[in-house]
Amino acid sequence: MAGAGAALSGLGLGLAGRPAGAAEPVEDAEAVEAAEPAEAAETAETAGAAFRGMWIATVTNRDFPSRPGLTAAAQRAELLALLDLAVRRRMTAVLFQVRPSADALWPSRYEPWAQCLTGVQGADSGWDPLGTAVTEAHARGLELHAWCNPYRVASHADPARLAEKHPVRLHPEWALTYDGRLLYNPGLPEVRRHVQDAMLDAVRRYDIDALHWDDYFYPYPVAGQVLDDDEAFARHGAGFADRAAWRRNNTDLLVSEMAERIKEVRPGVAFGISPFGVWRNAGTDPAGSDTTSLQTYDDLYADTRRWITERWIDYVIPQLYWNIGFPATDYAKLVPWWERTVQGTGVRLYIGEALYKVGDPAQPAAWQDPGELARHVELARGYPGVGGHCFFAAREVAKDPLGALTAVLADV
């Protein structure tokens, strides 16, 4: 993982030979489907330096843009500065959040312009952040992973606050409310098709290196809250042992269908997911990890292990956002579990790192030690199946709290 101009291999989708301007939107879907699959297949076989990724979060303007309503020129300058930061910090990839809340950082055919850009969902931003990010990332020798959230609609529960032509305004039956927030209903096949179509729009139109999803599928459980998907379960749940099995199947279909559709549209684009770091605890399932935690399989209805064993995804970045020795979820126990899980599958494993916790006084004492992350990387080197690390997020990559990232990069 070197600076600009170096050959990149994080996904084996190196950028050598990419024609200038290739990242511009492509309007002809048939042309896209025929676009250079042979080159992508060849580079996918190459191996090289480890993956180092930087997440750029746009939801609530966390990392970009710094605030809504900046001019297009100011936003573009901020984005280029983040890409330059990634180069200086010797990243090989940026994971850019382009669909934060069922809205888009490109002129989408399916959902409105993102609120984080102008402050008004649906208002034209005056430029194309995703198109710019692809072109400028590639010019710097960086991979560009288009990061999408499949089901989140809003951090509030009022559909009237959505853009006038938002899909949930047009199809209110598509939405559920949970913990005061709107989300698409994962139990409806028409919703599943829509969110896939919305994300595939980016795959078709831009020369992205990967489509990336975060950890939000069914919502994280909140005490005293009930997800009211009774009607969808009554319509579509026949033949399942219980509602949990039906919900898991809904998520499996979202992942497996998306994997197939990406291959149909543009075979060279990788598909990766960054799940919560615990599939199941060993106390629940002997195949699980030596942890005592929330479980994606049981609590989020996301069978993350199956997505790997079925090879539906090309890479996985489990969010191992805990310190070495943390009692419930020990980083040192989870890394080998994930390595064993990917063995023999061909699915690449990178580790999600909680750079945002470093120096935070609310975090355990281990995170006040500038060497904690460096120890993570050193520990992971002992497991050949670990192909690199990804750091959350850009704001902390810039600040480098306690010099922790500098320590990580010292011997790279």
Side-chain angles (χ1 to χ4, degrees):
M1 301 187 356
L8 299 179
S9 63
L11 289 175
L13 299 176
L15 305 177
R18 183 185 305 280
E24 291 304 310
V26 180
E27 300 299 334
D28 185 344
E30 292 183 1
V32 171
E33 291 172 12
E36 301 181 338
E39 178 184 342
E42 289 173 6
T43 57
E45 296 301 319
T46 63
F51 177 95
R52 277 196 298 275
M54 178 180 83
W55 277 291
I56 301 175
T58 60
V59 65
T60 68
N61 295 89
R62 187 197 190 276
D63 298 320
F64 171 83
S66 58
R67 60 181 175 84
L70 295 175
T71 65
Q75 290 183 9
R76 186 178 189 278
E78 286 191 352
L79 179 58
L80 298 190
L82 288 172
L83 298 178
D84 289 340
L85 168 69
V87 171
R88 290 198 308 275
R89 294 299 193 188
R90 302 172 68 184
M91 301 293 156
T92 65
V94 290
L95 290 71
F96 182 34
Q97 191 176 35
V98 298
R99 186 176 175 270
S101 299
D103 51 15
L105 274 78
W106 76 94
S108 169
R109 297 163 176 160
Y110 296 91
E111 290 172 324
W113 278 104
Q115 183 173 352
C116 65
L117 296 172
T118 63
V120 178
Q121 190 178 64
D124 191 331
S125 67
W127 70 303
D128 183 349
L130 176 53
T132 300
V134 174
T135 299
E136 296 293 341
H138 291 168
R140 289 160 173 76
L142 295 165
E143 295 177 0
L144 193 288
H145 299 219
W147 165 19
C148 298
N149 180 287
Y151 286 133
R152 180 169 54 219
V153 171
S155 59
H156 57 78
D158 183 3
R161 292 170 58 185
L162 303 174
E164 183 179 0
K165 295 183 179 180
H166 192 286
V168 168
R169 294 284 297 274
L170 301 176
H171 302 279
E173 72 279 6
W174 285 7
L176 295 174
T177 301
Y178 184 80
D179 191 32
R181 302 176 184 184
L182 288 169
L183 67 150
Y184 281 124
N185 187 341
L188 298 179
E190 57 269 34
V191 164
R192 188 168 70 246
R193 184 73 180 191
H194 166 77
V195 299
Q196 291 172 357
D197 287 343
M199 292 181 282
L200 281 167
D201 188 56
V203 177
R204 284 193 175 94
R205 298 173 63 187
Y206 299 93
D207 192 19
I208 62 175
D209 297 285
L211 181 70
H212 178 80
W213 291 356
D214 54 32
D215 54 318
Y216 294 95
F217 296 96
Y218 277 86
Y220 280 79
V222 176
Q225 299 285 319
V226 176
L227 184 67
D228 183 9
D229 57 358
D230 290 357
E231 184 177 345
F233 182 54
R235 288 168 54 192
H236 303 292
F240 291 92
D242 52 33
R243 191 176 308 218
W246 171 71
R247 287 176 174 175
R248 270 190 296 276
N249 184 68
N250 293 333
T251 312
D252 283 347
L253 288 173
L254 178 74
V255 175
S256 60
E257 290 173 358
M258 194 66 178
E260 288 302 315
R261 296 186 71 188
I262 291 171
K263 290 181 177 67
E264 292 170 0
V265 169
R266 184 176 282 189
V269 172
F271 181 29
I273 297 179
S274 178
F276 179 78
V278 176
W279 170 68
R280 299 191 94 185
N281 301 313
T284 304
D285 188 324
S289 52
D290 184 11
T291 49
T292 53
S293 170
L294 177 143
Q295 306 167 103
T296 62
Y297 182 95
D298 302 271
D299 300 309
L300 305 180
Y301 310 102
D303 191 351
T304 53
R305 181 171 175 263
R306 184 182 184 191
W307 307 343
I308 293 169
T309 58
E310 298 283 354
R311 306 185 185 191
W312 292 338
I313 57 178
D314 298 297
Y315 71 84
V316 63
I317 311 180
Q319 296 176 21
L320 303 193
Y321 289 173
W322 304 285
N323 56 277
I324 295 172
F326 189 72
T329 44
D330 186 346
Y331 183 93
K333 294 178 178 178
L334 281 162
V335 169
W337 185 89
W338 282 98
E339 194 213 29
R340 289 194 302 272
T341 299
V342 301
Q343 280 178 3
T345 66
V347 176
R348 293 175 175 85
L349 170 63
Y350 314 125
I351 305 299
E353 300 287 354
L355 181 60
Y356 73 96
K357 287 188 174 181
V358 175
D360 182 348
Q363 298 299 330
W367 294 106
Q368 315 312 315
D369 181 349
E372 176 67 22
L373 280 188
R375 286 191 288 274
H376 288 198
V377 174
E378 182 61 30
L379 183 151
R381 284 196 184 113
Y383 297 92
V386 177
H389 301 261
C390 196
F391 299 94
F392 193 89
R395 183 168 65 194
E396 289 73 25
V397 171
K399 292 180 179 178
D400 191 15
L402 305 183
L405 188 57
T406 296
V408 166
L409 299 174
D411 59 350
V412 172

